[in-house]
Amino acid sequence: MNGVRSTMMKIPREFLSYLQFQKALRFLQLQSRDAGGNIKQLRCITSGPAASTTSPDLIEVFGKFYCRDDYTNITPKILSKVGKSLHNQRNHPLWLIKERIKKHFYTQYLNRNRNPMFSVYDNLSPVVTTEQNFDSLLIPVDHASRKKGDNFYLNQTNMLRAHTSAHQHDLIRAGLNAFLVVGDVYRRDEIDSSHYPVFHQMEGVRLFSKHELFANVKNGEELCIFEKGCRTPCKQERHTLEAVKLLEFDLKQTLKNVMIHLFGKGLEIRWVDCYFPFTHPSFEMEIKFQGEWMEVLGCGITEQRLVDSAGAQGKIGYAFGLGLERLAMILYGIPDIRLFWSEDERFLKQFQVIDIDQKVTFQPLSKYPPLVNDISFWIPKEGYEENDFYDLVRNIGGDLVEKVSLIDQFAHPNFYTSQQDRSFSHLSPSACSLLFRCRYSFLPGPFKMYQRTKKISHCYRVTYRHMERTLTQEEVCTIHRAIEKAAVEKMGVEGRF
């Protein structure tokens, strides 16, 4: 106990209320009794929501406290989603997709003892370090994907994972050669029917030794998986071409079989070359659905530096990642990504099936009418991020906001002399200049005229629609005014409303 209190003294007492101090103390006591506890044990430490911001200086997630700093940009609305784990809620459409893919891997990929080759991890904490999310995956320090504008940071060193790939390095280091990771991931993004700041991914990894890769190849013992060569569009510098081609074939066949398992035979599939920092070569799979090609997953040959750094020297492998929402929307005909978070029984009951492979076609709920309001403002000269505005709208409007579109932007082109003369700002610069010379010709001395302000205006159209009832104009106006006020106070914009 004395050891616990001495540890607690390292936390400045002024940052904690009395109740928070006792809560943190209780956490440390439990931690000292059960060092190395897993995620489930951490979740049992506190009651109530999985995440909260009970202090202006601390964020609590699964009973662990994180100090805020200049990187902190996570909102209460996002924290309220942490721990929901839709992919683990029985008979939820995301659970059905997960279980169908899991069943496919469990039955189609067996080891010599007839046991499933792939292990599945679907309850790992979404809180990761920036090292796990970026550095372990060889993502450069200056890469655009690290921006605050694209991620949810608890602080400079901790964040909500942006992809399930964040666990890849740790699981390989643990000695796993074939695994699936399923979980909720968090990204700041635009607002429309197919984008949501929380969505769900499935990550797959498989590693091969030389013997495993060439086991079914004639004279395979004479082949090698490594060489000292050059990097080309087709392979990495350390990989032999024959090893990469075998891996690529196995990878594409594996994923093709998954899609056929989900959508049935006759599915049109095509592969598109692409780029990921942690695989090379890399590919995206597109399937033809209702006459259009749709991207459903990304994959590639894992960078050897990543494999080696995780302690699996001598092995070579591939990785893939797919979005559960995208697959569920296509497979079940779900039109709006917000529906996955609905608690409406009319939605959830449609997926209460006896057999997970049972065909389900979503029957649309009666669509309530939308209400549309515009918001215009001058943006600050520096520091404005569109995703910051989208976050602000989501935090205030929540799931009542169906879509936010930037419908107009322009740079201020006009001349004016003073606040009283802004009524002439619609005139062209030449007309404005002539008018001012005539109007103020009687003034002594040179008259100061302001040139182009170069201020940039954005106009957004916000579409509001409740998933379960009709919204009133009064309700929407209240929310919209709150968004206008918050945009001015928190983002430093100059309102034009």
Side-chain angles (χ1 to χ4, degrees), residues 423-464:
S423 55
F424 303 114
S425 62
H426 65 284
L427 299 176
S428 68
S430 56
C432 194
S433 178
L434 178 61
L435 173 66
F436 286 162
R437 281 202 301 273
C438 294
R439 182 177 179 185
Y440 296 107
S441 57
F442 62 88
L443 291 176
F447 186 82
K448 183 177 181 181
M449 238 184 358
Y450 295 95
Q451 300 294 326
R452 298 175 188 268
T453 64
K454 297 182 181 179
K455 290 162 65 175
I456 296 175
S457 169
H458 279 193
C459 179
Y460 295 89
R461 178 153 294 163
V462 185
T463 304
Y464 300 89

Side-chain angles (χ1 to χ4, degrees), residues 294-339:
M294 300 187 69
E295 183 263 317
V296 291
L297 61 84
C299 61
I301 309 304
T302 307
E303 284 284 355
Q304 196 59 40
R305 285 186 297 151
L306 191 160
V307 177
D308 291 348
S309 68
Q313 297 90 340
K315 294 186 177 180
I316 187 173
Y318 58 68
F320 60 87
L322 50 86
L324 297 187
E325 277 88 350
R326 170 61 64 89
L327 290 175
M329 291 176 80
I330 297 172
L331 187 62
Y332 301 132
I334 298 172
D336 194 315
I337 197 169
R338 292 177 301 160
L339 280 166

Side-chain angles (χ1 to χ4, degrees), residues 75-170:
T75 64
K77 185 66 68 176
I78 295 300
L79 283 175
S80 71
K81 306 292 185 184
V82 176
K84 296 287 188 181
S85 300
L86 299 183
H87 61 288
N88 288 333
Q89 294 182 18
R90 190 172 183 83
N91 291 115
H92 190 281
L94 299 181
W95 176 86
L96 286 177
I97 290 283
K98 180 197 75 172
E99 290 298 314
R100 291 187 66 185
I101 297 174
K102 187 169 76 171
K103 176 183 175 182
H104 173 75
F105 277 95
Y106 275 1
T107 55
Q108 298 299 313
Y109 300 91
L110 306 175
N111 59 26
R112 285 179 294 179
N113 298 322
R114 308 303 295 169
N115 292 321
M117 182 183 298
F118 282 81
S119 51
V120 178
Y121 298 85
D122 59 8
N123 202 26
L124 299 178
S125 173
V127 179
V128 297
T129 63
T130 51
E131 182 178 359
Q132 288 174 301
N133 200 79
F134 300 119
D135 300 333
S136 71
L137 296 169
L138 311 178
I139 298 175
V141 175
D142 58 351
H143 197 271
S145 64
R146 291 179 178 252
K147 291 192 308 180
K148 283 178 63 177
D150 292 336
N151 301 285
F152 290 104
Y153 285 91
L154 296 169
N155 52 37
Q156 189 168 5
T157 56
N158 297 278
M159 63 185 295
L160 296 180
R161 63 188 168 207
H163 42 211
T164 46
S165 305
H167 304 287
Q168 192 178 123
H169 185 274
D170 292 339

Side-chain angles (χ1 to χ4, degrees), residues 371-431:
L371 290 174
V372 177
N373 282 34
D374 293 348
I375 178 172
S376 301
F377 47 74
W378 301 108
I379 67 173
K381 289 184 178 180
E382 296 179 352
Y384 179 80
E385 291 273 357
E386 272 194 51
N387 282 344
D388 289 339
F389 177 65
Y390 295 147
D391 264 4
L392 182 145
V393 173
R394 280 197 191 277
N395 198 39
I396 295 173
D399 288 349
L400 297 182
V401 179
E402 179 178 79
K403 185 177 182 180
V404 178
S405 307
L406 178 61
I407 60 172
D408 186 42
Q409 61 177 329
F410 69 95
H412 194 292
N414 302 321
F415 289 70
Y416 56 85
T417 58
S418 66
Q419 182 68 31
Q420 290 75 21
D421 292 316
R422 291 192 186 193
S423 55
F424 303 114
S425 62
H426 65 284
L427 299 176
S428 68
S430 56

Side-chain angles (χ1 to χ4, degrees), residues 27 39 41-46 49-52 59-66 82-85 123-127 160 184 186:
F27 168 75
I39 296 163
Q41 290 169 318
L42 282 178
R43 289 183 178 179
C44 293
I45 290 169
T46 59
S52 63
I59 301 173
E60 179 188 359
V61 185
F62 296 137
K64 188 172 181 180
F65 296 91
Y66 299 88
V82 176
K84 296 287 188 181
S85 300
N123 202 26
L124 299 178
S125 173
V127 179
L160 296 180
D184 42 332
Y186 301 77

